[in-house]
Amino acid sequence: MKYINILIISLLLFSVNGFAQSLTVKGKVTDPATGDPLTGVNVIEKGTVNGTITDIEGNYQISLKNAENAVLVYSFIGYITQEIDVNGQSVINPELSSDVLNLEEVVVTGLATNVKRSNLANAVSTVSSEKLTGTTSPQTLDKALYGKLTGANIVANSGAPGGGISIKLRGISTLGGGSSEPLYIIDGVYIDNSAISNGSNTATAASAGGSVISSTQDNPSNRIADLNPDDIASVEILKGASASAIYGARANAGVVIITTKKGSDGKTKISYSQDLGFASILNPLGTRAVSHDNAFDVGGAGAVEAFDNALVNNSLVNYEDELYGNVGFITRSNLSASGGDDKTKFFTSISYDDEDGIVDGTGFDRFSARLNVDHRVSKVFDFGVNANYIQSSAQRSITNNDNSGVSIGISLINTTPWDNLFPDADGIFPNGPSGSNFLQTVALSTVNEETDRFVLGGNLNINFFNKEDSYLQAKLQAGLDAYTTETTLFFPEILQFQQAGPTATNGLFSRGDNTIFNYNLSAFLVYGSKISDFDLTTSVGITRLDFNQNRTTTQAQNLVSGTSNLSQATNLSTFDAELESVDVGYVIQQELNYLDRIILTGGVRADQSTLIGDEDELFFFPKGSAAFNLHNFDFWNVPIIDKLKVRFAYGEAGGIPVPNLVTLNQPQFTGFAGSNISGSTGSLISNTLGDPNIEPERSREIETGFDLAAFDNKLSFTATYYRKTVDDLILTANQPTSSGFSFIQTNAGELRNEGVELSLTAIPIQNKNINWEVTTNWWFNNPEVTRLDVDPFTTGAFASFLGIFRIQEGQSPTEIVGPIPGSDGDVPLGDATPDFEWSIYNKVTFFQDFEFSMLWHWAEGQENIQLTNLLSDFGGTSPDFDADNDGNGVSNGDQRVGAFFAGNDASVFVEDASYVKLREISLYYTLPSAWVDSFSKGTIERIKVGVSGNNLVLFTDYTGYDPEVSNFGNNGVSVGVDVAPFPSSRRAFFHLKIDF
């Protein structure tokens, strides 16, 4: 009997234990701020691979493997992960709060691995799709980043349609021999961001000689403008070498990692959005107030009579409004679909953008089609393909510097209000006063660039095994970025500046055919293991990058009347350059995670490149980092502080010697060019000697900081200090003339950037009626040339008596110098680097259906070289010509003109360019779902309408159109040189978005 009782008790215990093992839990996951169900939430039994996801109604059901002490983990992109003890419950209805502080965001730590932001040891900035395009319609991706990143100085080179942006991450990383722009990678594809000139220098002579070889002053757009911002899920910014070291010899200026949208399980979702907008000049300057008394001073002999007659006839003209007063119509249409099941997921979209510029005949068009597919073949194999076709067209006119009266901006400022520039009844334009009639130039000229682009990326993952305590995976990736850009210039012979002037050629037709074909390959092995409380991840791999450019520009002059044909001319000239380069990189990285308390990462990359003097030499770029999540340690007991992480990082990255932006000549080779010598073909050797031993520029960065979250994750604060030193700067040094050369390009200097980045995000109010999020970012960067092995030199402008940049040991590389009365030589007059930048972003959702957001951006303490006023002074038309700002009894205009001819006071051309801008503002309304359901019979899920604007308000004392300007494009040093640019626009939109 005793044994029977023991058997019965044992069976009962077994049954109870068996019951505990088979517990099933179900429930519904919702957003507490809106009450809406969350679809696609991952529900995992902690410590196992057992899991499920919520359906379209937010419902889930999971059978537990071990109900005793079971914990369910609920995670969803954009929401804070929540862990709940089951405790025998069969129904659990969790509420997941929005992860406004991005604590659960996954960011890249290597070429094949990633990590949660809460464990990250670097200050990596991430901009989500919502912050990119959720407020307003950005013209281009780079413009969408304005004011949203700490440590980034973003400047518009021109207000012309189609972009033209310069981005510097943690200061400049080169003085001209390396890349000044970050490396762009989209879905693993290395993206070309070249700014290819259209060859207009032949007409403008902006660079001496006016040759067919293009110039950095030709105002091209950069090719990142091709990307459709609506396709992007997130943008991740590796600002310094401590984060970008794993990208090796091309990461000196930082890395921008772009991830496009993917599909998800469940019902296919279709979205259509339509934006209608308007663009108008942001900051018209006006012109000089003219009267009978000062007309002679403005226009000279005959001006008084001409003014009086125009006044009587009411024919005085505001020519600034005639040129820049166009209200450009903007349309943006986007259709996307996404969906899938547990094996195959897809995202596809088509979009069309059409934007008219504020100058007649200018604009930017872009068509984009995308297909992203992810497929899981089995537990062993899964792959993804990302394909994007883009066709874009930009019409940008001729602005900025010129030496032949061609630029419409320079022609404008030499035109008085009584001049007649309008065509007669036969359509014949009269001559203008300064080399060209800008209305004629706008009406009859063609300045266009057409781009066809194909971006293709693919990845294959092979899961060799996946055990409870270890896994081994191979990650193979390939990418292709191929495009052609055709530039067209047509200046017919009837144009005023083609009939007379320094570049008159009786008509000019130019066609540029530029082909870019770049591809990248990589293969990595990733091994992960768990040993006791340690999670270890090891990755090793190899990468190969092939970059190929072929640029050809052919120009015809002395055209047959009425033709635009290369064969219908008597004078042909060509520019032809080709560049091929190959980089190979070898990577190893080790990561260690101890209970999310201590996270250590170490790695090294070794690179070879054909752009380096010895293409077989390996250059090593190490990295190491440590993050300590103090709140996860047992000793932590600070109730109001939810998270506190201290982090340290060190890394090195390289700057491959960059070929000349214009000629594509490589620094390790001595260039030569064909010439006509006494009627015979010959070659002229460059006076600059190449250096066969040239090495990459190298940045070494130390970064430290802390991240804090408090008050139930309603507040977060991030502070970062960095010190980045760039050694082996590639500079042009003097050579003894006995060598047969005047200069040599060689490694000869060191540059340091030091700065602080602060970011504060808070949620002051969060309930079902109001959800208020505010983020403020503040940052500064102090650059200094710490070693210079060549003599100090000036660069990046025109002449020291107008203000110029000086490179000198112990000083900022963006320091502006020039003479002032009584000085012995040039003295410091300003600096193009801001003292600090500050942005404030607010987003308020109220009553669940209304969303209001606003982004302000403040840049303080930078100076520009403002030469537009001087050119206006020569024409007598400067708006402030008659003012006397310094009270010395001499008008501003006379003072500037006098300083120019005396060559003794550059201070009058250097201006404070501080500003505050309202970057973005919007108000959206989501129609009530019940009304939409009844109206659409369940076909439409959501309708959202709104209004928005960007670049709407500018506060500045700067006297130019916009303090954000650069005559020399995205050159590393010479930003902020103002020479009659294309003015910036303000843009306003109406929005409609329908989700099916």
Side-chain angles (χ1 to χ4, degrees):
M1 185 70 179
K2 179 175 71 172
Y3 295 106
I4 294 175
N5 291 334
I6 292 173
L7 177 61
I8 293 172
I9 292 171
S10 299
L11 289 171
L12 287 172
L13 290 173
F14 178 80
S15 299
V16 170
N17 187 57
F19 175 76
Q21 294 294 329
S22 62
L23 178 64
T24 297
V25 179
K26 62 182 179 179
K28 184 174 185 176
V29 184
T30 57
D31 182 333
T34 64
D36 295 335
L38 295 177
T39 304
V41 175
N42 290 302
V43 184
I44 303 292
E45 183 181 353
K46 189 174 182 179
T48 74
V49 295
N50 181 37
T52 186
I53 62 172
T54 58
D55 62 20
I56 194 170
E57 299 296 332
N59 297 316
Y60 72 95
Q61 182 172 305
I62 183 171
S63 297
L64 303 179
K65 287 188 174 182
N66 184 7
E68 187 177 357
N69 299 320
V71 175
L72 289 179
V73 181
Y74 302 84
S75 62
F76 189 49
I77 295 175
Y79 288 79
I80 297 174
T81 298
Q82 189 175 158
E83 297 186 4
I84 298 179
D85 293 328
V86 175
N87 289 330
Q89 302 175 81
S90 60
V91 178
I92 300 177
N93 297 316
E95 295 181 330
L96 297 188
S97 297
S98 178
D99 184 22
V100 176
L101 308 184
N102 299 319
L103 300 173
E104 302 297 326
E105 184 177 50
V106 175
V107 296
V108 171
T109 58
L111 294 175
T113 59
N114 51 47
V115 68
K116 285 195 307 182
R117 178 173 292 278
S118 57
N119 290 336
L120 187 65
N122 295 95
V124 174
S125 294
T126 303
V127 181
S128 65
S129 172
E130 180 184 6
K131 287 191 176 180
L132 274 176
T133 60
T135 300
T136 189
S137 297
Q139 188 181 54
T140 58
L141 167 63
D142 38 17
K143 286 189 175 181
L145 297 175
Y146 270 131
K148 298 170 184 176
L149 305 170
T150 59
N153 181 228
I154 303 175
V155 176
N157 301 327
S158 167
I165 296 290
S166 175
I167 297 180
K168 304 294 184 293
L169 301 175
R170 291 184 174 174
I172 63 173
S173 298
T174 184
L175 297 180
S179 175
S180 62
E181 294 292 307
L183 174 66
Y184 288 87
I185 299 174
I186 177 168
D187 293 329
V189 182
Y190 286 66
I191 296 296
D192 185 270
N193 189 34
S194 298
I196 300 175
S197 173
N198 57 26
S200 60
N201 188 63
T202 304
T204 66
S207 294
S211 65
V212 66
I213 295 180
S214 52
S215 162
T216 57
Q217 302 182 64
D218 287 346
N219 189 26
S221 58
N222 35 340
R223 294 270 54 89
I224 204 69
D226 293 331
L227 301 181
N228 175 22
D230 285 311
D231 286 346
I232 295 172
S234 66
V235 178
E236 188 176 314
I237 314 293
L238 311 183
K239 292 173 285 189
S242 64
S244 66
I246 206 68
Y247 289 92
R250 290 185 180 264
N252 213 29
V255 182
V256 178
I257 301 173
I258 301 167
T259 303
T260 59
K261 296 176 180 178
K262 308 292 183 183
S264 58
D265 293 352
K267 173 187 173 183
T268 297
K269 297 180 180 180
I270 299 175
S271 294
Y272 173 75
S273 63
Q274 180 65 61
D275 302 337
L276 301 177
F278 303 92
S280 60
I281 186 171
L282 169 64
N283 182 35
L285 300 181
T287 189
R288 185 179 183 182
V290 184
S291 66
H292 175 86
D293 296 332
N294 70 352
F296 178 83
D297 295 334
V298 175
V304 176
E305 181 180 358
F307 170 79
D308 290 341
N309 289 337
L311 185 65
V312 170
N313 297 326
N314 195 29
S315 59
L316 293 172
V317 180
N318 181 343
Y319 277 112
E320 181 184 52
D321 187 59
E322 289 292 331
L323 180 59
Y324 299 134
N326 187 53
V327 177
F329 184 58
I330 306 171
T331 63
R332 299 194 66 198
S333 306
N334 193 80
L335 177 65
S336 66
S338 64
D341 53 29
D342 60 340
K343 284 195 172 184
T344 304
K345 301 175 179 62
F346 72 92
F347 171 84
T348 185
S349 72
I350 56 173
S351 66
Y352 179 70
D353 297 56
D354 184 3
E355 176 169 348
D356 296 331
I358 60 173
V359 175
D360 283 336
T362 64
F364 179 65
D365 306 319
R366 177 180 57 211
F367 170 80
S368 175
R370 172 176 292 279
L371 175 63
N372 293 347
V373 177
D374 296 285
H375 179 68
R376 182 169 60 85
V377 180
S378 65
K379 290 183 179 180
V380 177
F381 297 100
D382 64 84
F383 68 88
V385 177
N386 307 289
N388 187 201
Y389 170 73
I390 307 155
Q391 185 181 63
S392 65
S393 174
Q395 302 83 38
R396 300 169 65 81
S397 194
I398 297 290
T399 53
N400 285 7
N401 181 47
D402 86 88
N403 291 304
S404 57
V406 175
S407 165
I408 60 175
I410 291 178
S411 299
L412 167 67
I413 57 184
N414 284 283
T415 301
T416 63
W418 54 84
D419 289 325
N420 176 27
L421 302 184
F422 297 99
D424 60 21
D426 297 321
I428 305 300
F429 287 87
N431 284 342
S434 62
S436 72
N437 177 335
F438 57 84
L439 296 183
Q440 181 192 48
T441 302
V442 168
L444 302 181
S445 300
T446 299
V447 182
N448 187 47
E449 55 185 38
E450 301 273 353
T451 300
D452 283 278
R453 188 170 197 166
F454 189 64
V455 180
L456 176 65
N459 63 83
L460 171 65
N461 298 321
I462 305 172
N463 302 294
F464 294 108
F465 62 83
N466 193 348
K467 302 178 181 178
E468 289 285 339
D469 59 354
S470 63
Y471 68 89
L472 178 63
Q473 184 181 54
K475 294 191 173 186
L476 311 177
Q477 195 163 54
L480 170 68
D481 179 21
Y483 68 88
T484 60
T485 293
E486 181 180 283
T487 61
T488 302
L489 299 177
F490 177 45
F491 299 128
E493 76 284 352
I494 61 174
L495 290 177
Q496 179 181 344
F497 66 83
Q498 283 296 309
Q499 295 178 353
T503 59
T505 57
N506 195 40
L508 169 66
F509 181 74
S510 173
R511 173 164 291 155
D513 293 296
N514 309 286
T515 302
I516 312 296
F517 188 90
N518 302 331
Y519 66 89
N520 59 278
L521 304 168
S522 67
F524 278 82
L525 279 176
V526 181
Y527 175 69
S529 62
K530 185 175 182 63
I531 303 174
S532 184
D533 293 331
F534 295 90
D535 290 310
L536 304 171
T537 304
T538 305
S539 56
V540 295
I542 183 172
T543 69
R544 178 186 171 103
L545 313 176
D546 283 68
F547 296 89
N548 302 276
Q549 296 188 45
N550 193 319
R551 299 184 185 179
T552 301
T553 299
T554 306
Q555 296 189 336
Q557 301 176 52
N558 292 318
L559 302 177
V560 173
S561 180
T563 66
S564 57
N565 192 307
L566 292 174
S567 64
Q568 300 296 313
T570 61
N571 186 5
L572 289 177
S573 54
T574 61
F575 165 72
D576 185 29
E578 186 174 354
L579 175 67
E580 296 182 1
S581 65
V582 178
D583 295 359
V584 177
Y586 309 91
V587 181
I588 182 169
Q589 179 167 293
Q590 179 65 55
E591 301 169 55
L592 179 148
N593 185 329
Y594 170 65
L595 298 176
D596 280 351
R597 297 175 180 177
I598 302 174
I599 301 92
L600 305 177
T601 301
V604 64
R605 174 165 176 154
D607 274 7
Q608 298 169 301
S609 175
T610 58
L611 292 176
I612 298 170
D614 182 358
E615 63 183 62
D616 295 322
E617 184 176 358
L618 282 171
F619 291 88
F620 293 87
F621 304 99
K623 63 174 288 188
S625 64
F628 303 91
N629 282 315
L630 301 182
H631 57 278
N632 286 336
F633 284 86
D634 294 335
F635 64 77
W636 186 260
N637 186 23
V638 184
I640 65 169
I641 297 180
D642 306 297
K643 300 179 187 295
L644 178 60
K645 178 179 65 179
V646 180
R647 47 188 169 78
F648 307 90
Y650 172 80
E652 298 181 14
I656 288 287
V658 172
N660 184 282
L661 297 176
V662 174
T663 65
L664 296 185
N665 289 339
Q666 301 178 44
Q668 68 265 45
F669 300 122
T670 302
F672 68 94
S675 67
N676 185 320
I677 303 175
S678 300
S680 300
T681 301
S683 292
L684 292 178
I685 304 298
S686 169
N687 66 347
T688 300
L689 179 65
D691 183 358
N693 299 313
I694 203 160
E695 297 185 355
E697 299 179 333
R698 178 183 294 267
S699 62
R700 298 176 174 89
E701 183 182 65
I702 297 173
E703 177 190 297
T704 184
F706 68 89
D707 305 324
L708 179 149
F711 305 111
D712 293 329
N713 294 314
K714 295 287 193 302
L715 180 146
S716 77
F717 178 72
T718 296
T720 301
Y721 165 81
Y722 64 87
R723 185 184 180 95
K724 180 174 70 173
T725 300
V726 187
D727 201 0
D728 293 328
L729 291 172
I730 299 172
L731 301 171
T732 301
N734 292 324
Q735 280 283 96
T737 54
S738 59
S739 68
F741 298 91
S742 301
F743 309 100
I744 184 173
Q745 290 185 289
T746 188
N747 301 104
E750 183 182 86
L751 168 69
R752 184 180 66 217
N753 287 280
E754 189 173 19
V756 171
E757 300 165 359
L758 306 177
S759 181
L760 174 68
T761 297
I763 310 172
I765 303 175
Q766 187 178 51
N767 55 50
K768 290 187 176 181
N769 291 325
I770 298 177
N771 190 77
W772 176 20
E773 170 195 348
V774 58
T775 298
T776 181
N777 298 317
W778 184 91
W779 67 99
F780 74 86
N781 178 76
N782 286 331
E784 181 183 342
V785 178
T786 51
R787 193 189 84 247
L788 198 62
D789 300 336
V790 301
D791 293 334
F793 61 94
T794 57
T795 185
F798 301 102
S800 63
F801 70 88
L802 297 173
I804 200 166
F805 297 93
R806 179 171 60 191
I807 307 301
Q808 179 176 333
E809 189 171 315
Q811 302 298 320
S812 166
T814 53
E815 178 185 62
I816 302 171
V817 300
I820 60 174
S823 68
D824 182 14
D826 295 337
V827 298
L829 299 175
D831 197 304
T833 298
D835 293 339
F836 68 83
E837 295 189 61
W838 192 356
S839 68
I840 301 177
Y841 171 79
N842 278 277
K843 180 181 178 182
V844 183
T845 303
F846 45 99
F847 304 116
Q848 301 183 15
D849 297 327
F850 290 92
E851 296 177 9
F852 173 78
S853 61
M854 180 169 53
L855 173 66
W856 289 91
H857 181 206
W858 176 14
E860 177 65 31
Q862 70 275 24
E863 280 81 26
N864 284 358
I865 300 173
Q866 219 286 40
L867 300 180
T868 302
N869 279 344
L870 174 64
L871 297 172
S872 301
D873 296 332
F874 291 149
T877 62
S878 303
D880 69 338
F881 190 103
D882 298 307
D884 182 10
N885 289 351
D886 57 11
N888 66 351
V890 181
S891 71
N892 292 345
D894 288 334
Q895 187 168 338
R896 287 189 292 255
V897 171
F900 172 82
F901 286 109
N904 66 352
D905 189 3
S907 66
V908 298
F909 309 120
V910 179
E911 283 193 26
D912 178 20
S914 304
Y915 64 84
V916 175
K917 276 190 177 183
L918 178 59
R919 293 288 188 191
E920 298 178 356
I921 188 170
S922 70
L923 177 64
Y924 288 91
Y925 174 63
T926 302
L927 276 61
S929 57
W931 185 89
V932 172
D933 285 342
S934 63
F935 167 79
S936 67
K937 308 299 182 182
T939 303
I940 299 175
E941 287 189 0
R942 186 178 71 158
I943 298 178
K944 188 176 182 179
V945 296
V947 294
S948 74
N950 68 323
N951 222 32
L952 291 183
V953 178
L954 168 66
F955 297 103
T956 184
D957 292 329
Y958 186 68
T959 60
Y961 283 110
D962 193 332
E964 294 183 278
V965 65
S966 180
N967 179 73
F968 293 94
N970 54 9
N971 178 280
V973 174
S974 53
V975 297
V977 180
D978 188 332
V979 186
F982 197 114
S984 298
S985 302
R986 59 162 53 95
R987 302 159 81 239
F989 293 93
F990 300 93
H991 304 276
L992 170 66
K993 183 176 182 180
I994 304 174
D995 295 330
F996 298 91

